[in-house]
Amino acid sequence: MAGAFASFLNKVKPYLAMLSLQFGYAGMYIVTMMCFKRGMSHWILVVYRHVFATIAVLPFAIVLERKIRPKMTLRVFIKIVALGFLEPVIDQNLYYLGLKSTTATYASAFVNLLPAVTFLLAVIFRIEKVNLKKKSSMAKVIGTIITVGGAMVMTIYKGPMFNLVARSHGVGHHEVAAATPVNWVAGTIELIACIVGWSGFFIVQSMTLKEYPAELSLAAWVCVMGIVEGGIVALIMERDWNAWVIGFDSRLLAAAYSGIVCSGIAYYVQSVVNKVKGPVFVTAFSPLSMVITSILAAIILAESVHLGSLIGAIIIVIGLYSVVWGKSKEGKGNEIIGKDQELPVVDIKERSTIVDDNIDDVTIVKSKIPAEKKASSIFQEL
């Protein structure tokens, strides 16, 4: 019973890890919007975020992986630099720029395209194999399309509103974003670059883990690169030194929370799951953060829930289940192939009859040799 439970727990660990991570991202969205209302620059937030992430991850990486950490090579270091540029610099900064240039609804629709873009890149780089004759591949393709469709329904279609709690007098963050000046052309380009950068991060992460299989150390390196590369960009874009000053308020909370949970822990968890399940599995759960954010916003910020959000959430869950089902079937197929390729284990205590017969034959031959030699010596004497 204990062995069966341990086996079941190992199978559900990736699912629980990614689901928990989406709750962490949902909390970050709410805390970050509170931070932006106080006028904090997103360029600086990215830097402080990775400072906290480095402080949280680096000690564990140094202690726990000191014996298994591979030797750093130039090839691996270049990939780490690329990881620091793709996620901390491109993804995080361009998302906030796209949010300011367009609207929250438009930006959310683009972010939910992450699973589809990641799946396409994974197929191009041959990380994921697609064989439409197999049910597992068809499930992944159809599930990705359904997930994107549900995300689009959730962000575009509103419908009647449902108030879970009494609505506050404050203005929701979606309304604040919608009230800002819009620049659709620039915003679209920024959001496309954001999604491609984020998807590329998971692809490069999957490649790097094959040469540098130390998840904590890799997460620490990405956080350090986020400080260095993000700091250079922030110094160029933000010339006011007073903007770097933060106090014990929502700005410090946003930097600490997003850094520890959504950068440090997230990079490590994503590395572990990416190594086992691949980048498509990791990004398949990203639309759930929008569902969770809507629920938390309705409870904490007393925002209204639209009928379109409920319909979209149901569609997203169906699509997500299809992708996960396809990955699970694919994994079982790999396990069966692996078992078929294994050599049979033979107990050394058991003797094979074939071997015994051969041994007996050998002993018979050996016993005949002295007799033949004796016969030849007798003929020579005669």
Side-chain angles (χ1 to χ4, degrees):
M1 183 67 69
F5 178 74
S7 177
F8 172 76
L9 187 61
N10 288 330
K11 291 181 180 179
V12 300
K13 274 182 181 179
Y15 304 92
L16 295 177
M18 296 311 303
L19 182 61
S20 301
L21 204 58
Q22 303 314 311
F23 279 95
Y25 279 124
M28 182 200 69
Y29 294 145
I30 296 176
V31 174
T32 301
M33 292 311 302
M34 295 171 58
C35 164
F36 287 152
K37 289 180 181 180
R38 298 186 63 89
M40 187 174 186
S41 171
H42 65 84
W43 305 103
I44 298 175
L45 176 61
V46 169
V47 179
Y48 283 143
R49 170 177 174 171
H50 289 88
V51 169
F52 281 98
T54 303
I55 296 173
V57 175
L58 187 59
F60 292 97
I62 294 174
V63 175
L64 298 179
E65 294 183 343
R66 64 184 183 277
K67 295 183 179 180
I68 63 173
R69 187 182 302 108
K71 183 179 179 181
M72 179 61 64
T73 62
L74 179 61
R75 180 184 176 91
V76 174
F77 183 76
I78 292 175
K79 290 182 179 179
I80 292 175
V81 173
L83 288 173
F85 182 74
L86 288 171
E87 219 291 55
V89 177
I90 291 183
D91 168 43
Q92 296 178 19
N93 282 308
L94 290 183
Y95 174 75
Y96 294 128
L97 283 175
L99 180 64
K100 293 178 180 179
S101 299
T102 58
T103 64
T105 300
Y106 193 78
S108 299
F110 264 91
V111 170
N112 285 292
L113 295 176
L114 178 64
V117 176
T118 305
F119 182 75
L120 179 62
L121 291 179
V123 172
I124 293 174
F125 288 95
R126 297 182 179 180
I127 297 177
E128 288 283 336
K129 296 180 180 180
V130 177
N131 186 359
L132 297 181
K133 296 180 180 180
K134 294 184 178 181
K135 293 182 180 180
S136 59
S137 296
M138 284 294 296
K140 290 190 295 183
V141 174
I142 295 174
T144 301
I145 297 174
I146 293 175
T147 301
V148 174
M152 297 298 292
V153 170
M154 190 174 182
T155 54
I156 295 176
Y157 174 68
K158 295 301 180 181
M161 293 187 301
F162 300 90
N163 295 322
L164 299 180
V165 294
R167 186 165 183 171
S168 62
H169 297 287
V171 181
H173 64 272
H174 292 286
E175 296 174 0
V176 173
T180 57
V182 295
N183 188 342
W184 294 99
V185 176
T188 301
I189 296 174
E190 291 160 356
L191 290 171
I192 292 175
C194 162
I195 299 304
V196 173
W198 200 357
S199 301
F201 172 82
F202 291 113
I203 300 298
V204 177
Q205 185 187 56
S206 178
M207 297 178 179
T208 308
L209 287 170
K210 296 179 181 179
E211 302 180 37
Y212 196 79
E215 294 83 2
L216 276 172
S217 299
L218 182 61
W221 273 110
V222 174
C223 294
V224 172
M225 288 297 109
I227 297 174
V228 176
E229 299 177 33
I232 295 173
V233 174
L235 290 174
I236 296 174
M237 302 301 298
E238 193 66 52
R239 303 297 180 86
D240 186 10
W241 288 101
N242 294 325
W244 291 84
V245 179
I246 59 175
F248 292 92
D249 50 19
S250 60
R251 293 174 294 180
L252 180 63
L253 175 62
Y257 179 87
S258 60
I260 296 173
V261 176
C262 301
S263 286
I265 297 178
Y267 291 159
Y268 170 69
V269 172
Q270 289 168 355
S271 297
V272 175
V273 179
N274 196 343
K275 186 177 179 181
V276 177
K277 293 290 187 178
V280 175
F281 183 88
V282 175
T283 56
F285 287 80
S286 60
L288 283 180
S289 64
M290 186 176 181
V291 179
I292 300 170
T293 301
S294 300
I295 297 174
L296 292 179
I299 297 174
I300 298 175
L301 303 178
E303 292 186 355
S304 301
V305 178
H306 295 269
L307 178 61
S309 299
L310 296 177
I311 297 175
I314 295 173
I315 297 175
I316 287 173
V317 172
I318 295 174
L320 178 61
Y321 175 79
S322 179
V323 175
V324 172
W325 182 86
K327 292 294 294 183
S328 63
K329 290 296 181 181
E330 191 177 63
K332 290 181 180 179
N334 294 332
E335 290 177 0
I336 295 173
I337 294 174
K339 290 181 180 179
D340 292 339
Q341 293 176 347
E342 291 179 357
L343 294 176
V345 179
V346 179
D347 190 357
I348 60 174
K349 294 182 181 180
E350 298 180 357
R351 298 181 61 189
S352 173
T353 57
I354 298 175
V355 176
D356 292 343
D357 294 340
N358 293 336
I359 293 174
D360 295 335
D361 293 339
V362 172
T363 55
I364 293 171
V365 172
K366 287 182 178 179
S367 63
K368 290 181 179 179
I369 291 175
E372 293 174 354
K373 287 184 177 180
K374 290 180 181 178
S376 61
S377 61
I378 293 172
F379 282 117
Q380 287 178 358
E381 290 177 358
L382 293 175

